[in-house]
């Protein structure tokens, strides 16, 4: 498939915006130092209505007024600590045309090719430090892809979705639909002085690490689960105990991965999970918090125990890892990171090689991933354009809110085929 660039321009805030630096929290500094590439696919709709680049650019300009830090640039303060300079320089907006139909893609499985064709890249030059980039690609069938790349240091998944969905509300122009205003102050997650660390934050150590350049080759796949399959898994607890969707699916994925990879029973396997601090801290972070409130938690066990125990035992391990994540845990973590953030290279997500014994699960359950209706309907699919490393797993709800779930997985090629077999064998 060939993609032709029709237009590439900067879109700036539609009004004058404040010019200042935005302090970044330790959670901002320990996420992947790069753009998160996502894709929204829209199927051809009835009638002749088509996506209008002019409407999208005008709405984007308006959305950047309250979200003005995203129109700035990633830079450093006087002490060399990264911060956002609110310059109003704008975001990249690209219009493109593909010589193919959506069906020609053969599905929306994440890949480097999907990212290269449909999501802009920051390749230096006038894009150095840019925080947000978008590409609208028109397909021969009338379908459209909106590719987004928002810098992870500037926004986590929920904050990025808040921006894209605000842009969509403005583009839709529906009266009475007020776009929420973002909360820009990140000092709510500032470390205490002096730091007080009460927990062992093993997820932010260099344990099991490898060199940044020695990444394990991997393939990606999307494994759809029907509501009936999810419900059957949730009912798999001992004594009729019903498990939550997250705990049941994560436990199932963990068990299948240990088996597919052929791990020795005596090997340690660590399951990383991404948690959200917004509702865990006291008081909770304000709605619309623009920044990173996500952090890592983990459970560790012998691979032999994970595969031999019943599903609810693995689910209990997941539960034990997440139950303690309260306000004091988050504050302790932020204080711990204060002591290591000056030498954070290798600690950020994607900067170390996760051993083949481990998994990292990120859940998008409950996130408004399908709310980006720009006036031409909701997306038929939304997801990552590509995955970062082997062992990364995303749980993504279906577009219709009917209980379906996509398990998006990156794994070593030799293990992925076996993982797929085990994944569905255990569900039947």
């Amino acid at each position: 498939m060939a993609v032709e660039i029709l237009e590439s321009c900067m879109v700036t805030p539609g009004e004058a915006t404040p010019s200042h630096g935005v302090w970044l929290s330790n959670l901002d500094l320990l996420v992947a130092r790069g753009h998160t590439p996502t894709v929204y696919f829209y199927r051809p709709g009835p009638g002749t209505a088509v996506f209008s680049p002019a409407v999208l650019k005008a709405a984007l300009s308006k959305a950047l007024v309250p979200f003005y830090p995203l129109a700035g640039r990633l830079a450093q303060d006087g002490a060399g600590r990264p911060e956002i300079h609110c310059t109003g320089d704008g975001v990249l907006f690209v219009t493109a045309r593909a010589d193919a139909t959506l069906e020609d893609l053969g599905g929306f499985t994440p890949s480097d090719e999907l990212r290269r064709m449909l999501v802009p890249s920051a390749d230096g030059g006038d894009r150095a430090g840019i925080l947000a980039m978008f590409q609208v690609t028109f397909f021969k069938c009338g379908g459209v892809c909106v590719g987004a790349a928002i810098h992870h240091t500037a926004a986590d998944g929920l904050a990025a979705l808040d921006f894209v969905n605000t842009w969509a509300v403005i583009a839709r122009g529906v009266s009475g639909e007020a776009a929420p205003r973002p909360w820009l102050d990140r000092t709510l997650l500032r470390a205490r002085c002096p730091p007080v660390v009460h927990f062992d934050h093993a997820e932010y150590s260099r344990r099991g690490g490898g060199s940044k350049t020695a990444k394990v080759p991997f393939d990606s796949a999307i494994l759809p689960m029907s509501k009936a399959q999810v419900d059957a898994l949730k009912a798999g607890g001992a004594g009729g105990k019903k498990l939550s969707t997250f705990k049941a699916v994560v436990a199932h994925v963990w068990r299948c991965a240990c088996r597919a990879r052929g791990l020795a029973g005596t090997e340690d396997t660590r399951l990383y999970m991404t948690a959200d601090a917004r509702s865990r801290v006291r008081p909770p972070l304000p709605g619309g918090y623009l920044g990173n409130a996500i952090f890592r938690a983990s459970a560790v066990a012998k691979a032999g125990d994970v595969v031999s125990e019943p599903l609810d035992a693995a689910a209990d391990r997941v539960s034990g890892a997440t139950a303690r994540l309260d306000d004091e845990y988050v504050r302790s973590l932020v204080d711990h990171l204060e002591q290591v953030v000056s030498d954070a290279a290798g600690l950020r997500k994607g900067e170390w090689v996760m051993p083949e014994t481990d998994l990292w699960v990120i859940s998008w359950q409950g996130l408004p991933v399908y709310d980006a209706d720009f006036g031409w309907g909701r997306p038929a699919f939304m997801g990552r354009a590509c995955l970062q490393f082997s062992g990364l797993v995303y749980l993504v709800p279906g577009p219709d809110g009917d209980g379906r779930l996509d398990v998006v997985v990156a794994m070593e090629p030799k293990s992925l085929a076996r993982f797929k077999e085990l994944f569905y064998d255990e569900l039947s």
Side-chain angles (χ1 to χ4, degrees), residues 224-243:
M225 297 179 69
S226 67
K227 183 180 186 301
Q229 289 173 320
V230 173
D231 288 344
L233 205 58
K234 291 166 64 176
K241 181 176 71 172
K242 189 172 183 180
L243 306 173

Side-chain angles (χ1 to χ4, degrees), residues 386-411:
C386 63
L387 299 179
Q388 291 168 286
F389 50 82
S390 184
L392 185 59
V393 179
Y394 280 81
L395 308 183
V396 184
D400 302 318
D402 57 3
R404 288 183 293 161
L405 191 69
D406 283 342
V407 177
V408 187
V409 57
M411 193 171 288

Side-chain angles (χ1 to χ4, degrees), residues 219-261:
D219 289 337
S220 301
I222 298 177
L223 307 183
M225 297 179 69
S226 67
K227 183 180 186 301
Q229 289 173 320
V230 173
D231 288 344
L233 205 58
K234 291 166 64 176
K241 181 176 71 172
K242 189 172 183 180
L243 306 173
S244 73
T245 298
F246 175 78
K247 291 169 187 172
V249 175
V250 171
H252 177 59
V253 168
W254 195 9
R255 283 154 49 96
C256 292
C258 287
R259 288 193 178 111
R261 288 167 153 175

Side-chain angles (χ1 to χ4, degrees), residues 35 77 108 125 151 159 163 203 228 231 242 311 322 358 394:
H35 296 82
D77 64 14
F108 306 128
H151 205 289
F163 175 71
E203 300 80 15
D231 288 344
K242 189 172 183 180
L311 181 74
T322 57
D358 296 355
Y394 280 81

Side-chain angles (χ1 to χ4, degrees), residues 63-260:
L64 285 171
V65 175
F67 285 86
Y68 66 86
L70 294 182
R73 295 294 181 263
L74 186 62
Q76 293 182 339
D77 64 14
R81 181 185 174 103
E83 69 173 9
I84 294 174
H85 287 179
C86 297
T87 60
D89 287 341
V91 304
L92 181 69
F93 184 88
V94 178
T95 305
R97 179 170 55 210
D99 67 348
T101 66
L102 291 181
E103 286 66 31
D104 291 335
L105 293 176
F108 306 128
T109 301
S111 68
D112 289 341
E113 184 181 20
L114 204 66
R115 195 244 188 272
R116 178 179 54 79
M117 293 188 300
L118 301 176
V119 183
S121 294
D123 51 5
D126 62 349
R127 299 184 187 180
I130 194 168
L131 295 176
M133 302 177 289
F134 304 96
Q135 179 175 316
V136 180
T137 304
F138 295 90
F139 287 79
K140 287 198 304 183
C141 59
V144 173
C145 175
V146 176
I150 296 179
H151 205 289
H152 209 331
T153 304
D156 63 13
L158 180 54
L161 287 167
D162 283 345
F163 175 71
V164 172
N165 293 341
T166 296
W167 175 24
V169 166
I170 295 171
R172 247 189 346 260
V174 179
S175 59
E177 261 191 286
R181 295 191 68 84
W183 184 275
L184 306 181
D185 179 13
R186 306 184 188 209
T187 61
L188 298 175
L189 292 177
R190 191 186 290 276
R192 295 172 291 197
C193 186
V196 182
V197 180
H198 285 148
F199 298 90
D200 174 24
H201 300 286
E203 300 80 15
Y204 290 87
S205 74
R206 291 183 173 86
R207 298 177 191 175
S211 74
K212 185 177 178 180
T213 57
K215 287 190 176 180
V216 176
F218 65 88
D219 289 337
S220 301
I222 298 177
L223 307 183
M225 297 179 69
S226 67
K227 183 180 186 301
Q229 289 173 320
V230 173
D231 288 344
L233 205 58
K234 291 166 64 176
K241 181 176 71 172
K242 189 172 183 180
L243 306 173
S244 73
T245 298
F246 175 78
K247 291 169 187 172
V249 175
V250 171
H252 177 59
V253 168
W254 195 9
R255 283 154 49 96
C256 292
C258 287
R259 288 193 178 111

